[in-house]
Amino acid sequence: MKAIKLKEDIYWVGAIDWGIRNFHGYSTQRGTTYNAFLLIDEKITLIDTVKYHLIDEMLDRISDVINPADIDYVISNHVEQDHSGSLPEIMAIARNATLVTSPNGEKGLRAHYKENWNFHVAKMGEVLNIGERNLTFVHTPMVHWPDNMVTYLPEDQILFSNDAFGQHIATSERFVDELPLDIVLEEAQKYYANIVLPYGAQVKKALGALAGLKLDIIAPSHGVIWRSDIPTILNEYEKWSGNVTEKKAVIVYDTMWNSTEMIAEKITEAFQNQGYKTRLFDLKKNHISDIMTEVINAQYICVGSPTLNNNIMPTVASFLTYLKGLAPKKRFGLAFGSYGWGGQSIGQVEQYLKDCGFETLENIRIQYIPDEDQLEEIKEKLEGKLS
Ligand code: FEO
């Protein structure tokens, strides 16, 4: 397999995971890549590795350029196993290599692999000379784990950003400009919404630490590489990390006998009539990670569940648990649903939305099947609140 050149003596040597469709709960319908990079200088440097099952693909690509045993430095920007999984084998092949990582990276790698490798712990802002080039290490904790750092190469103006700016896309094309931009941005948005969203404050801090760097290329650890559209993705990260929302409502529900669905559709109509973009999701037909892609910039999150055994439906519970963990901020919530006798689910959904920190509207509850008059009343009351 071939290494792919980013610039003179700088190569992509990662691996393509064509078949993955579930990345710890995130539906990856386009697959993904694990990006590793090889720098040929006086000291040969490998930045990150790949998931273990794809190590042969990475070794093949490295061997297209040099003998892997000749690697002098291995930079580990992130401990998570999609990037560190092949470290044990690489460190066994490149026996004299120094492993460079952040302080939390060292702790995490020791805990994961129980190996006494030749660690070099990089301080914040530390510079490592590898010949004609200098690598600068910037700690970016919680983007996405406490150990994360990024590596900046000033001579070539490349930021090896690890998880930041990534997308789960498996393609033979390696650069953003080789794919339709809307697909890349949609996947970058989905990635942010499902991986990075809880850490907006830390993203802001990281963007601040990187401000002023000249960026010709941003090379993330997943998906395609930004050698174009860099201001666009930086601008999106500013918005997402700032919880900037649009006049938009996401309506999410499950239903037993279509009554909660009828309410969901009427709520959707009310938002549309008031000029909101709307997205309506039946949880039986949509994956929660796809819904989060739409939640990221929505002002209103409306969640409906009928009452099942004095509780909310399991699909709705799953969505609410996921939503709470990803912690979008500055939102409004609306709970709704139909019920037969107890009707506990609506209050439970509302409490969940409050626990998310959302300001909630008065909930909507209908016993058994809503009739036309009740549906009209739901629409008119909600329109009145939104106007
Ligand atoms: Fe791509 Fe946090 O690992």
Side-chain angles (χ1 to χ4, degrees):
M1 290 189 180
K2 295 279 183 202
I4 294 177
K5 190 186 270 192
L6 271 70
K7 289 201 173 190
E8 200 56 39
D9 290 330
I10 301 173
Y11 298 90
W12 175 83
V13 290
I16 305 172
D17 198 344
W18 298 100
I20 188 168
R21 290 294 177 270
N22 186 313
F23 194 103
H24 55 50
Y26 170 155
S27 86
T28 46
Q29 65 269 39
R30 288 193 166 98
T32 195
T33 67
Y34 313 107
N35 296 338
F37 301 94
L38 187 68
L39 281 53
I40 308 301
D41 208 313
E42 283 171 31
K43 299 289 184 189
I44 294 172
T45 302
L46 177 68
I47 299 181
D48 289 320
T49 71
V50 300
K51 235 180 181 177
Y52 179 70
H53 75 287
L54 292 169
I55 184 165
D56 289 344
E57 185 173 332
M58 181 180 74
L59 287 173
D60 247 25
R61 294 189 199 280
I62 294 172
S63 302
D64 185 42
V65 185
I66 49 114
N67 179 347
D70 293 340
I71 292 170
D72 297 292
Y73 287 114
V74 178
I75 314 295
S76 175
N77 280 325
H78 183 19
V79 171
E80 197 166 8
Q81 290 164 74
D82 48 333
H83 310 297
S84 71
S86 298
L87 269 180
E89 199 145 334
I90 282 289
M91 296 306 287
I93 294 168
R95 302 202 72 81
N96 298 318
T98 300
L99 180 54
V100 182
T101 189
S102 69
N104 281 328
E106 184 199 7
K107 284 183 206 153
L109 291 173
R110 285 190 189 278
H112 273 70
Y113 300 108
K114 329 291 184 201
E115 293 278 0
N116 196 25
W117 290 317
N118 181 23
F119 281 97
H120 175 84
V121 177
K123 298 185 187 72
M124 176 68 167
E126 185 174 326
V127 176
L128 175 70
N129 177 266
I130 58 169
E132 292 185 1
R133 296 177 175 83
N134 295 283
L135 299 174
T136 305
F137 306 109
V138 179
H139 299 168
T140 53
M142 300 318 296
V143 189
H144 151 233
W145 278 11
D147 53 85
N148 269 84
M149 67 177 193
V150 299
T151 300
Y152 180 61
L153 175 49
E155 288 80 7
D156 297 277
Q157 300 181 3
I158 301 177
L159 179 68
F160 299 97
S161 61
N162 198 266
D163 277 345
F165 312 113
Q167 341 86 41
H168 284 316
I169 306 178
T171 49
S172 57
E173 296 91 332
R174 285 277 57 79
F175 298 97
V176 170
D177 53 275
E178 296 173 318
L179 292 179
L181 183 60
D182 56 342
I183 289 178
V184 180
L185 287 174
E186 182 190 334
E187 291 295 343
Q189 181 167 325
K190 182 173 182 181
Y191 188 92
Y192 190 98
N194 286 278
I195 301 282
V196 192
L197 183 56
Y199 312 116
Q202 292 88 343
V203 172
K204 282 250 175 244
K205 204 168 167 191
L207 289 172
L210 301 173
L213 295 183
K214 289 183 176 160
L215 296 175
D216 196 32
I217 290 178
I218 296 178
S221 57
H222 296 289
V224 280
I225 295 163
W226 303 88
R227 66 180 177 189
S228 63
D229 304 289
I230 289 174
T232 303
I233 189 63
L234 288 174
N235 189 42
E236 292 300 298
Y237 262 61
E238 280 289 349
K239 281 195 292 185
W240 297 333
S241 61
N243 274 277
V244 175
T245 57
E246 299 174 18
K247 195 173 177 186
K248 174 177 168 185
V250 172
I251 300 98
V252 183
Y253 69 97
D254 200 347
T255 194
M256 290 165 68
W257 294 102
N258 299 101
S259 295
T260 300
E261 184 173 63
M262 289 161 77
I263 302 169
E265 286 168 353
K266 203 45 81 172
I267 289 171
T268 305
E269 194 183 330
F271 275 104
Q272 282 174 3
N273 288 349
Q274 290 302 314
Y276 283 76
K277 290 183 193 170
T278 58
R279 303 286 186 270
L280 176 64
F281 293 107
D282 179 347
L283 280 161
K284 280 196 286 295
K285 300 173 186 165
N286 293 278
H287 196 275
I288 53 177
S289 60
D290 289 318
I291 298 172
M292 284 309 302
T293 313
E294 295 290 348
V295 162
I296 193 171
N297 54 7
Q299 250 172 37
Y300 281 86
I301 301 162
C302 311
V303 181
S305 175
T307 300
L308 176 69
N309 301 327
N310 302 329
N311 250 298
I312 52 181
M313 290 189 75
T315 48
V316 180
S318 165
F319 172 71
L320 287 169
T321 305
Y322 196 59
L323 176 73
K324 190 175 163 204
L326 288 167
K329 294 183 175 54
K330 305 180 195 168
R331 316 296 165 118
F332 295 94
L334 170 61
F336 64 93
S338 81
Y339 64 99
W341 45 100
Q344 297 93 333
S345 61
I346 298 105
Q348 291 167 3
V349 170
E350 186 170 70
Q351 189 55 51
Y352 241 110
L353 295 173
K354 285 183 196 293
D355 291 346
C356 289
F358 303 164
E359 193 176 318
T360 52
L361 302 186
E362 184 188 349
N363 65 47
I364 298 170
R365 47 197 295 128
I366 298 285
Q367 190 169 23
Y368 292 118
I369 302 171
D371 61 27
E372 273 310 313
D373 288 346
Q374 287 173 312
L375 289 171
E376 202 51 32
E377 190 185 335
I378 287 170
K379 182 169 73 88
E380 282 176 9
K381 269 180 86 172
L382 184 53
E383 283 182 14
K385 285 177 192 162
L386 297 173
S387 62

